[in-house]
Each structure stands twice: as C-alpha cells, then as structure tokens.
Coordinates of all heavy atoms in Angstrom, one line a residue:
M999 N -6.4 -12.8 13.8 CA -5.8 -11.4 13.9 C -5.8 -10.8 15.2 O -6.9 -10.8 15.8 CB -6.7 -10.7 12.8 CG -6.3 -9.3 12.6 SD -7.1 -8.2 11.4 CE -6.8 -9.0 9.9
S1000 N -4.8 -10.2 15.5 CA -4.7 -9.6 16.8 C -5.4 -8.2 16.8 O -5.5 -7.6 15.8 CB -3.1 -9.3 17.3 OG -2.7 -8.3 16.5
P1001 N -5.9 -7.9 18.0 CA -6.6 -6.6 18.2 C -5.8 -5.4 17.8 O -6.3 -4.3 17.3 CB -7.1 -6.6 19.6 CG -6.9 -8.0 20.1 CD -5.9 -8.7 19.2
L1002 N -4.5 -5.4 18.2 CA -3.5 -4.3 17.8 C -3.5 -4.2 16.3 O -3.5 -3.1 15.8 CB -2.2 -4.6 18.4 CG -1.1 -3.5 18.2 CD1 -1.6 -2.2 18.7 CD2 0.2 -3.9 18.7
L1003 N -3.4 -5.3 15.5 CA -3.3 -5.2 14.1 C -4.6 -4.7 13.6 O -4.6 -3.9 12.7 CB -2.9 -6.6 13.5 CG -2.6 -6.6 12.1 CD1 -1.5 -5.6 11.6 CD2 -2.4 -8.0 11.7
L1004 N -5.6 -5.1 14.2 CA -7.0 -4.6 13.6 C -7.2 -3.0 13.8 O -7.6 -2.3 12.9 CB -8.1 -5.3 14.4 CG -9.5 -5.0 13.9 CD1 -9.7 -5.5 12.5 CD2 -10.5 -5.6 14.9
V1005 N -6.7 -2.5 15.0 CA -6.7 -1.1 15.2 C -5.7 -0.4 14.2 O -6.1 0.7 13.7 CB -6.3 -0.8 16.6 CG1 -6.1 0.8 16.9 CG2 -7.3 -1.3 17.6
I1006 N -4.6 -1.0 14.0 CA -3.6 -0.3 13.0 C -4.2 -0.3 11.6 O -4.2 0.7 10.9 CB -2.3 -1.1 13.0 CG1 -1.5 -0.9 14.4 CG2 -1.4 -0.9 11.8 CD1 -0.3 -1.8 14.6
I1007 N -4.9 -1.4 11.2 CA -5.4 -1.5 9.9 C -6.6 -0.4 9.8 O -6.7 0.3 8.8 CB -5.9 -2.8 9.6 CG1 -4.7 -3.7 9.3 CG2 -6.8 -2.9 8.3 CD1 -5.1 -5.2 9.1
I1008 N -7.3 -0.3 10.8 CA -8.5 0.8 10.8 C -8.0 2.2 10.7 O -8.5 2.9 9.9 CB -9.4 0.6 12.0 CG1 -10.3 -0.8 11.9 CG2 -10.4 1.7 12.1 CD1 -11.0 -1.1 13.2
V1009 N -7.0 2.6 11.6 CA -6.4 3.9 11.5 C -5.8 4.2 10.2 O -6.1 5.2 9.6 CB -5.5 4.0 12.7 CG1 -4.6 5.3 12.5 CG2 -6.1 3.9 14.0
F1010 N -5.0 3.3 9.7 CA -4.3 3.4 8.5 C -5.3 3.3 7.3 O -5.1 4.0 6.2 CB -3.2 2.6 8.2 CG -1.9 3.0 8.9 CD1 -1.6 2.3 10.1 CD2 -1.0 3.9 8.3 CE1 -0.5 2.9 10.8 CE2 0.1 4.3 9.0 CZ 0.4 3.7 10.2
G1011 N -6.4 2.6 7.5 CA -7.4 2.6 6.4 C -8.2 4.0 6.3 O -8.4 4.5 5.1
I1012 N -8.4 4.6 7.4 CA -9.0 6.0 7.4 C -8.1 6.9 6.8 O -8.5 7.8 5.9 CB -9.4 6.4 8.8 CG1 -10.6 5.5 9.3 CG2 -9.8 7.9 8.8 CD1 -10.8 5.6 10.8
A1013 N -6.8 6.9 7.1 CA -5.8 7.8 6.6 C -5.7 7.5 5.0 O -5.4 8.4 4.3 CB -4.5 7.5 7.3
A1014 N -5.8 6.2 4.7 CA -5.7 6.0 3.2 C -7.0 6.5 2.4 O -6.7 6.9 1.3 CB -5.6 4.4 2.9
V1015 N -8.1 6.4 3.0 CA -9.2 7.0 2.4 C -9.0 8.6 2.2 O -9.3 9.1 1.1 CB -10.5 6.8 3.2 CG1 -11.7 7.6 2.6 CG2 -10.8 5.3 3.1
L1016 N -8.6 9.2 3.3 CA -8.2 10.6 3.1 C -7.2 11.0 2.1 O -7.3 11.9 1.4 CB -7.9 11.1 4.5 CG -9.0 11.1 5.5 CD1 -8.5 11.6 6.9 CD2 -10.2 12.0 5.2
T1017 N -6.2 10.1 2.0 CA -5.1 10.2 1.0 C -5.6 10.1 -0.4 O -5.3 10.8 -1.3 CB -4.1 9.3 1.4 OG1 -3.6 9.5 2.7 CG2 -2.8 9.6 0.5
I1018 N -6.5 9.1 -0.5 CA -7.1 8.9 -1.9 C -7.9 10.0 -2.3 O -8.0 10.4 -3.4 CB -7.8 7.5 -2.0 CG1 -6.8 6.4 -1.8 CG2 -8.7 7.5 -3.2 CD1 -7.5 5.0 -1.7
Y1019 N -8.6 10.6 -1.3 CA -9.3 11.8 -1.6 C -8.5 13.0 -2.1 O -8.8 13.7 -3.1 CB -10.2 12.3 -0.4 CG -10.9 13.6 -0.6 CD1 -12.1 13.6 -1.3 CD2 -10.4 14.8 0.0 CE1 -12.7 14.8 -1.5 CE2 -11.0 16.0 -0.2 CZ -12.1 16.0 -0.9 OH -12.9 17.3 -1.1
R1020 N -7.3 13.1 -1.5 CA -6.4 14.1 -2.0 C -5.8 13.8 -3.3 O -5.5 14.7 -4.1 CB -5.2 14.3 -1.0 CG -4.2 15.2 -1.3 CD -4.6 16.6 -1.7 NE -5.4 17.2 -0.5 CZ -6.2 18.2 -0.6 NH1 -6.2 18.9 -1.8 NH2 -6.8 18.7 0.4
I1021 N -5.6 12.5 -3.6 CA -5.1 12.2 -4.9 C -6.0 12.5 -6.0 O -5.7 13.0 -7.1 CB -4.8 10.6 -4.9 CG1 -3.5 10.3 -4.1 CG2 -4.5 10.1 -6.4 CD1 -3.2 8.8 -3.9
V1022 N -7.3 12.3 -5.7 CA -8.4 12.6 -6.7 C -8.6 14.0 -6.8 O -8.7 14.6 -7.9 CB -9.7 11.8 -6.4 CG1 -10.9 12.2 -7.3 CG2 -9.5 10.3 -6.4
R1023 N -8.7 14.7 -5.7 CA -9.1 16.2 -5.8 C -7.9 17.1 -5.7 O -8.2 18.4 -5.6 CB -10.0 16.5 -4.6 CG -11.3 15.6 -4.6 CD -12.3 16.2 -5.5 NE -12.5 17.6 -5.0 CZ -13.4 18.5 -5.6 NH1 -14.2 18.1 -6.4 NH2 -13.5 19.6 -5.1
G1024 N -6.7 16.6 -5.7 CA -5.5 17.5 -5.4 C -5.5 18.6 -6.5 O -5.7 18.4 -7.7
P1025 N -5.3 19.8 -6.0 CA -5.3 20.8 -7.0 C -4.1 20.9 -7.8 O -4.3 21.5 -9.0 CB -5.2 22.1 -6.0 CG -4.8 21.7 -4.7 CD -5.0 20.2 -4.5
S1026 N -3.0 20.3 -7.5 CA -1.8 20.3 -8.5 C -1.3 19.0 -8.6 O -1.6 18.1 -7.8 CB -0.8 21.4 -8.0 OG -0.2 20.9 -6.8
I1027 N -0.4 18.8 -9.4 CA 0.3 17.5 -9.6 C 1.1 17.1 -8.5 O 1.3 16.0 -8.1 CB 1.1 17.4 -11.0 CG1 1.5 15.9 -11.3 CG2 2.2 18.3 -11.1 CD1 2.0 15.8 -12.7
L1028 N 1.7 18.1 -7.9 CA 2.7 17.9 -6.7 C 1.9 17.5 -5.5 O 2.3 16.7 -4.8 CB 3.4 19.2 -6.4 CG 4.5 19.6 -7.4 CD1 5.1 20.9 -7.1 CD2 5.4 18.5 -7.6
D1029 N 0.6 18.0 -5.3 CA -0.2 17.5 -4.3 C -0.5 16.0 -4.5 O -0.5 15.2 -3.6 CB -1.5 18.4 -4.2 CG -1.2 19.7 -3.7 OD1 -0.3 19.9 -2.9 OD2 -2.0 20.6 -4.2
R1030 N -0.8 15.7 -5.7 CA -1.1 14.4 -6.0 C 0.1 13.3 -5.7 O 0.0 12.2 -5.3 CB -1.7 14.2 -7.4 CG -3.1 14.8 -7.5 CD -3.6 14.6 -8.9 NE -5.0 15.1 -9.0 CZ -5.5 16.0 -9.6 NH1 -4.6 16.7 -10.5 NH2 -6.6 16.3 -9.6
A1031 N 1.2 13.9 -6.2 CA 2.5 13.1 -6.0 C 2.8 12.9 -4.5 O 3.1 11.7 -4.2 CB 3.6 13.8 -6.7
V1032 N 2.6 13.9 -3.7 CA 2.8 13.8 -2.3 C 1.8 12.8 -1.6 O 2.1 12.0 -0.8 CB 2.8 15.2 -1.6 CG1 2.8 15.0 -0.1 CG2 4.0 16.0 -2.0
A1033 N 0.5 13.0 -2.1 CA -0.5 12.0 -1.5 C -0.2 10.6 -2.0 O -0.4 9.7 -1.1 CB -1.8 12.5 -2.1
S1034 N 0.3 10.4 -3.1 CA 0.6 8.9 -3.6 C 1.8 8.5 -2.7 O 1.9 7.3 -2.4 CB 0.9 8.9 -5.0 OG 2.0 9.6 -5.4
D1035 N 2.8 9.3 -2.4 CA 3.9 8.9 -1.5 C 3.3 8.5 -0.2 O 3.8 7.6 0.5 CB 4.9 10.0 -1.4 CG 5.8 10.0 -2.6 OD1 5.8 9.0 -3.4 OD2 6.5 10.9 -2.8
V1036 N 2.4 9.3 0.4 CA 2.0 9.1 1.6 C 1.1 7.8 1.7 O 1.2 7.0 2.7 CB 0.9 10.3 2.0 CG1 0.1 9.9 3.4 CG2 1.8 11.5 2.4
L1037 N 0.3 7.5 0.6 CA -0.4 6.2 0.5 C 0.6 5.1 0.5 O 0.3 4.1 1.2 CB -1.3 6.2 -0.8 CG -2.2 5.0 -0.9 CD1 -3.2 4.9 0.3 CD2 -3.0 5.2 -2.3
L1038 N 1.7 5.2 -0.3 CA 2.6 4.1 -0.3 C 3.3 3.8 1.1 O 3.5 2.8 1.5 CB 3.7 4.3 -1.3 CG 3.3 4.2 -2.8 CD1 4.5 4.6 -3.7 CD2 2.9 2.7 -3.0
T1039 N 3.5 5.0 1.7 CA 4.1 4.9 3.2 C 3.1 4.3 4.1 O 3.6 3.5 4.9 CB 4.5 6.3 3.6 OG1 5.4 7.0 2.7 CG2 5.2 6.3 4.9
E1040 N 1.8 4.5 4.0 CA 0.8 3.9 4.8 C 0.7 2.4 4.6 O 0.7 1.7 5.5 CB -0.5 4.6 4.6 CG -0.6 5.9 5.1 CD -2.0 6.6 4.5 OE1 -2.7 6.1 3.8 OE2 -2.2 7.8 5.0
V1041 N 0.8 2.0 3.3 CA 0.9 0.6 3.0 C 2.2 -0.1 3.7 O 2.1 -1.2 4.2 CB 0.8 0.3 1.6 CG1 1.1 -1.1 1.1 CG2 -0.6 0.7 1.1
M1042 N 3.3 0.6 3.5 CA 4.5 0.1 4.1 C 4.4 0.0 5.7 O 4.8 -1.1 6.2 CB 5.7 1.0 3.7 CG 6.0 0.9 2.2 SD 7.3 2.0 1.6 CE 8.6 1.6 2.8
C1043 N 3.7 1.0 6.2 CA 3.7 0.9 7.7 C 2.8 -0.3 8.1 O 3.1 -0.9 9.1 CB 3.1 2.2 8.2 SG 4.2 3.5 8.1
V1044 N 1.7 -0.4 7.5 CA 0.8 -1.6 7.8 C 1.5 -3.0 7.6 O 1.4 -3.8 8.5 CB -0.6 -1.5 7.0 CG1 -1.3 -2.8 7.2 CG2 -1.3 -0.4 7.4
L1045 N 2.2 -3.1 6.5 CA 2.9 -4.3 6.3 C 4.0 -4.5 7.3 O 4.3 -5.6 7.9 CB 3.6 -4.4 4.9 CG 2.6 -4.5 3.7 CD1 3.3 -4.4 2.4 CD2 2.0 -6.0 3.8
G1046 N 4.7 -3.4 7.7 CA 5.8 -3.5 8.7 C 5.1 -3.8 10.1 O 5.8 -4.7 10.8
A1047 N 4.1 -3.3 10.4 CA 3.5 -3.5 11.7 C 3.0 -5.0 11.7 O 3.1 -5.7 12.8 CB 2.2 -2.7 12.0
E1048 N 2.4 -5.5 10.6 CA 1.9 -6.8 10.6 C 3.2 -7.8 10.7 O 3.1 -8.8 11.5 CB 1.3 -7.1 9.2 CG 0.6 -8.4 9.1 CD 1.4 -9.6 8.6 OE1 2.3 -9.3 7.8 OE2 1.2 -10.7 8.9
M1049 N 4.3 -7.5 10.1 CA 5.4 -8.3 10.2 C 6.0 -8.3 11.7 O 6.4 -9.3 12.2 CB 6.5 -7.8 9.3 CG 6.4 -8.1 7.8 SD 7.6 -7.7 6.7 CE 8.9 -6.9 7.7
A1050 N 6.0 -7.2 12.3 CA 6.5 -7.0 13.7 C 5.6 -7.7 14.6 O 6.0 -8.4 15.6 CB 6.6 -5.6 14.1
I1051 N 4.2 -7.6 14.5 CA 3.4 -8.2 15.4 C 3.3 -9.8 15.2 O 3.3 -10.5 16.2 CB 1.9 -7.8 15.2 CG1 1.8 -6.3 15.6 CG2 0.8 -8.6 15.9 CD1 0.6 -5.6 15.4
N1052 N 3.4 -10.2 14.0 CA 3.3 -11.7 13.8 C 4.7 -12.4 13.7 O 4.9 -13.5 13.4 CB 2.6 -12.0 12.4 CG 1.2 -11.7 12.6 OD1 0.6 -11.8 13.7 ND2 0.5 -11.3 11.5
H1053 N 5.8 -11.6 13.9 CA 7.2 -12.1 14.1 C 7.6 -12.9 12.8 O 8.0 -14.0 12.8 CB 7.3 -13.0 15.3 CG 6.9 -12.3 16.5 ND1 7.7 -11.3 17.1 CD2 5.9 -12.5 17.3 CE1 7.1 -10.9 18.2 NE2 6.0 -11.6 18.4
H1054 N 7.5 -12.3 11.6 CA 8.0 -12.9 10.4 C 8.6 -11.8 9.4 O 8.4 -10.7 9.7 CB 6.9 -13.7 9.7 CG 5.8 -12.9 9.1 ND1 6.0 -12.3 7.8 CD2 4.7 -12.5 9.6 CE1 4.9 -11.6 7.6 NE2 4.1 -11.7 8.6
T1055 N 9.3 -12.3 8.4 CA 9.9 -11.3 7.5 C 9.4 -11.7 6.0 O 10.2 -11.4 5.2 CB 11.4 -11.3 7.6 OG1 11.8 -12.7 7.5 CG2 11.9 -10.8 9.0
R1056 N 8.4 -12.4 5.9 CA 8.0 -12.8 4.5 C 7.6 -11.7 3.7 O 7.7 -11.7 2.4 CB 6.8 -13.8 4.6 CG 7.2 -15.0 5.2 CD 6.0 -16.1 5.1 NE 4.9 -15.5 5.8 CZ 4.5 -15.9 7.1 NH1 5.2 -16.7 7.7 NH2 3.4 -15.4 7.6
S1057 N 7.2 -10.6 4.3 CA 6.6 -9.4 3.5 C 7.8 -8.4 3.1 O 7.5 -7.4 2.6 CB 5.6 -8.6 4.2 OG 4.5 -9.5 4.5
L1058 N 9.0 -8.7 3.5 CA 10.1 -7.8 3.4 C 10.3 -7.5 1.7 O 10.6 -6.3 1.5 CB 11.4 -8.3 4.0 CG 12.5 -7.3 4.1 CD1 12.0 -6.1 5.0 CD2 13.7 -8.0 4.8
P1059 N 10.4 -8.5 0.9 CA 10.4 -8.1 -0.4 C 9.4 -7.1 -1.0 O 9.6 -6.3 -1.8 CB 10.4 -9.5 -1.2 CG 10.8 -10.5 -0.2 CD 10.3 -9.9 1.1
V1060 N 8.2 -7.3 -0.5 CA 7.2 -6.4 -1.0 C 7.4 -5.0 -0.4 O 7.2 -4.0 -1.1 CB 5.7 -6.9 -0.4 CG1 4.7 -6.1 -0.8 CG2 5.5 -8.4 -0.9
L1061 N 7.9 -4.9 0.8 CA 8.2 -3.6 1.3 C 9.2 -2.9 0.4 O 9.2 -1.7 0.2 CB 8.7 -3.7 2.7 CG 7.6 -3.9 3.9 CD1 8.3 -4.0 5.2 CD2 6.7 -2.7 3.8
L1062 N 10.2 -3.7 0.1 CA 11.4 -3.0 -0.7 C 10.8 -2.6 -2.1 O 11.2 -1.6 -2.6 CB 12.5 -4.1 -0.9 CG 13.2 -4.4 0.4 CD1 14.2 -5.5 0.1 CD2 13.9 -3.2 0.9
I1063 N 10.0 -3.4 -2.7 CA 9.4 -3.0 -4.1 C 8.7 -1.8 -3.9 O 8.6 -0.9 -4.7 CB 8.7 -4.3 -4.6 CG1 9.7 -5.3 -5.1 CG2 7.7 -3.8 -5.8 CD1 8.9 -6.7 -5.4
I1064 N 7.8 -1.8 -2.8 CA 6.9 -0.6 -2.7 C 7.7 0.7 -2.4 O 7.5 1.7 -3.0 CB 6.0 -0.8 -1.5 CG1 5.0 -1.8 -1.9 CG2 5.2 0.5 -1.0 CD1 4.0 -2.3 -0.7
A1065 N 8.8 0.5 -1.7 CA 9.7 1.7 -1.5 C 10.4 2.1 -2.7 O 10.5 3.3 -3.0 CB 10.8 1.2 -0.4
A1066 N 10.8 1.1 -3.6 CA 11.4 1.5 -4.8 C 10.5 2.2 -5.7 O 10.8 3.2 -6.4 CB 12.0 0.3 -5.5
V1067 N 9.3 1.7 -5.8 CA 8.2 2.5 -6.7 C 7.9 3.8 -6.1 O 7.8 4.7 -7.0 CB 6.9 1.5 -6.6 CG1 5.8 2.3 -7.2 CG2 7.1 0.3 -7.4
G1068 N 7.9 3.9 -4.8 CA 7.7 5.3 -4.3 C 8.8 6.3 -4.6 O 8.6 7.4 -5.1
V1069 N 10.0 5.9 -4.5 CA 11.2 6.7 -4.7 C 11.3 7.0 -6.2 O 11.4 8.2 -6.6 CB 12.5 6.0 -4.3 CG1 13.7 6.7 -4.9 CG2 12.6 5.9 -2.8
F1070 N 11.1 6.0 -7.1 CA 11.2 6.2 -8.6 C 10.0 7.1 -9.1 O 10.2 7.9 -9.9 CB 11.3 5.0 -9.3 CG 12.6 4.2 -9.0 CD1 12.5 2.8 -8.8 CD2 13.8 4.8 -9.0 CE1 13.7 2.2 -8.5 CE2 15.0 4.2 -8.6 CZ 15.0 2.8 -8.5
G1071 N 8.9 6.9 -8.4 CA 7.7 7.7 -8.8 C 7.9 9.2 -8.4 O 7.5 10.1 -9.3
S1072 N 8.4 9.4 -7.3 CA 8.7 10.7 -6.8 C 9.6 11.5 -7.6 O 9.6 12.6 -7.9 CB 9.1 10.8 -5.3 OG 8.1 10.3 -4.5
I1073 N 10.8 10.8 -8.0 CA 11.8 11.4 -8.8 C 11.3 11.6 -10.1 O 11.6 12.7 -10.8 CB 13.0 10.4 -8.9 CG1 13.7 10.3 -7.5 CG2 14.1 10.8 -10.0 CD1 14.8 9.2 -7.4
S1074 N 10.5 10.7 -10.7 CA 9.9 11.0 -12.1 C 9.0 12.3 -12.1 O 9.1 13.1 -13.0 CB 9.1 9.8 -12.5 OG 9.9 8.7 -12.6
V1075 N 8.1 12.4 -11.1 CA 7.2 13.5 -11.0 C 8.1 14.8 -10.8 O 7.8 15.9 -11.4 CB 6.2 13.3 -9.9 CG1 5.4 14.6 -9.6 CG2 5.2 12.2 -10.3
A1076 N 9.1 14.8 -9.9 CA 9.8 15.9 -9.7 C 10.6 16.4 -10.9 O 10.7 17.6 -11.2 CB 10.8 15.7 -8.6
R1077 N 11.1 15.4 -11.7 CA 11.8 15.8 -12.9 C 10.9 16.3 -14.0 O 11.2 17.2 -14.6 CB 12.5 14.6 -13.5 CG 13.8 14.2 -12.7 CD 14.5 13.0 -13.3 NE 14.9 13.3 -14.6 CZ 16.1 13.8 -15.0 NH1 17.0 13.9 -14.1 NH2 16.4 14.0 -16.2
Y1078 N 9.7 15.8 -14.1 CA 8.7 16.3 -14.9 C 8.2 17.7 -14.6 O 8.2 18.6 -15.5 CB 7.4 15.3 -15.0 CG 6.3 15.9 -15.8 CD1 6.3 15.9 -17.0 CD2 5.1 16.5 -15.1 CE1 5.2 16.4 -17.8 CE2 4.0 17.0 -15.8 CZ 4.2 16.9 -17.1 OH 3.0 17.4 -17.9
V1079 N 8.0 18.0 -13.4 CA 7.7 19.3 -12.9 C 8.7 20.3 -13.2 O 8.5 21.4 -13.6 CB 7.1 19.3 -11.5 CG1 6.9 20.7 -11.0 CG2 5.8 18.4 -11.4
A1080 N 10.0 19.9 -12.8 CA 11.1 20.8 -13.0 C 11.3 21.1 -14.5 O 11.6 22.2 -14.8 CB 12.4 20.2 -12.4
R1081 N 11.2 20.1 -15.3 CA 11.3 20.3 -16.8 C 10.2 21.4 -17.3 O 10.5 22.2 -18.1 CB 11.3 19.1 -17.6 CG 11.6 19.2 -19.1 CD 11.7 17.9 -19.8 NE 12.8 17.1 -19.1 CZ 12.9 15.8 -19.2 NH1 11.9 15.1 -19.8 NH2 13.9 15.2 -18.7
R1082 N 9.0 21.1 -16.8 CA 7.9 21.9 -17.2 C 8.1 23.4 -16.7 O 7.8 24.3 -17.5 CB 6.6 21.4 -16.7 CG 5.4 22.0 -17.3 CD 4.1 21.4 -16.8 NE 4.0 21.7 -15.4 CZ 3.0 21.3 -14.6 NH1 2.0 20.5 -15.0 NH2 2.9 21.5 -13.3
D1083 N 8.6 23.5 -15.5 CA 8.8 24.9 -15.0 C 10.0 25.6 -15.9 O 9.9 26.8 -16.0 CB 9.2 24.9 -13.6 CG 8.0 24.5 -12.8 OD1 6.8 24.7 -13.1 OD2 8.2 24.1 -11.5
N1084 N 10.9 24.8 -16.2 CA 12.0 25.4 -17.1 C 11.6 25.9 -18.3 O 12.1 26.9 -18.9 CB 13.2 24.5 -17.1 CG 14.0 24.4 -15.9 OD1 14.0 25.2 -15.0 ND2 14.7 23.3 -15.7
Q1085 N 10.6 25.3 -19.0 CA 10.2 25.6 -20.2 C 9.2 26.7 -20.2 O 9.2 27.6 -21.2 CB 9.4 24.4 -20.9 CG 10.2 23.1 -21.4 CD 9.5 22.1 -21.8 OE1 8.3 22.0 -21.7 NE2 10.2 21.0 -22.4
T1086 N 8.5 27.0 -19.2 CA 7.6 28.1 -19.1 C 8.3 29.4 -18.6 O 7.8 30.4 -18.9 CB 6.5 27.7 -18.0 OG1 7.1 27.6 -16.7 CG2 5.6 26.7 -18.4
S1087 N 9.4 29.4 -18.1 CA 10.2 30.6 -17.5 C 11.2 31.0 -18.6 O 11.5 30.5 -19.6 CB 10.8 30.4 -16.2 OG 11.7 29.3 -16.3

C-alpha cells in the first residue's frame, strides 16, 4: 500500500467517523440524509483515489452502484419530507 493511499484512507476515515456521528445524532431527517450522502461520497473518493493510484478500473462498477444508491436515496428522502410537509400545512 502506498503512503499516499494510507494518508487518504486516514483522512477520509476520520471524516467518515464524524459523518457517522452526524447520522446517529442528527437533529432532523434531512441532516441524516445529507450525512449519509457525504459518507457515500467519501467512500467513492477513497475508491477513486485507490483506482487512480494503482492504475486500474476494477472498482468502477462499485463506484457506479454507490452513486446510484446515493442519488436514489436522496430522492426518496426528499420526496418523503416534501410529502410530509404538504400534509402538515
């Protein structure tokens, strides 16, 4: 493992721990949704950095699946919150 990849994993690991804290303690569902998107983005960044450093594209399908899960999850939460807001007003 290259030292650069190790530094990237440590930095993004710390960010992931802070993001998981926000997911657990988030005051609202939107905070938790944003934190989960950030966590997925961090995973995608680490995978992308690993692919760039090691000069391969084997992890590309995993990146696409993670991106799709992030987009569909965000859309689902946004639609749920919008529907809930319409019912209360």
Side-chain angles (χ1 to χ4, degrees):
M999 179 180 293
S1000 73
L1002 178 61
L1003 186 59
L1004 185 63
V1005 169
I1006 289 171
I1007 289 173
I1008 289 171
V1009 169
F1010 278 99
I1012 292 170
V1015 168
L1016 294 174
T1017 305
I1018 290 171
Y1019 175 77
R1020 178 54 58 194
I1021 290 172
V1022 172
R1023 299 280 303 187
S1026 69
I1027 190 169
L1028 291 177
D1029 293 327
R1030 291 183 171 116
V1032 169
S1034 66
D1035 282 345
V1036 170
L1037 185 62
L1038 289 176
T1039 304
E1040 290 168 357
V1041 170
M1042 290 174 52
C1043 288
V1044 169
L1045 285 175
E1048 191 271 331
M1049 285 182 359
I1051 290 172
N1052 292 330
H1053 306 289
H1054 69 84
T1055 58
R1056 290 187 303 265
S1057 302
L1058 195 57
V1060 176
L1061 281 177
L1062 293 174
I1063 291 171
I1064 290 172
V1067 167
V1069 167
F1070 294 136
S1072 297
I1073 291 171
S1074 300
V1075 170
R1077 288 183 58 99
Y1078 172 75
V1079 170
R1081 185 175 298 156
R1082 192 177 67 181
D1083 287 345
N1084 285 339
Q1085 290 175 351
T1086 57
S1087 60

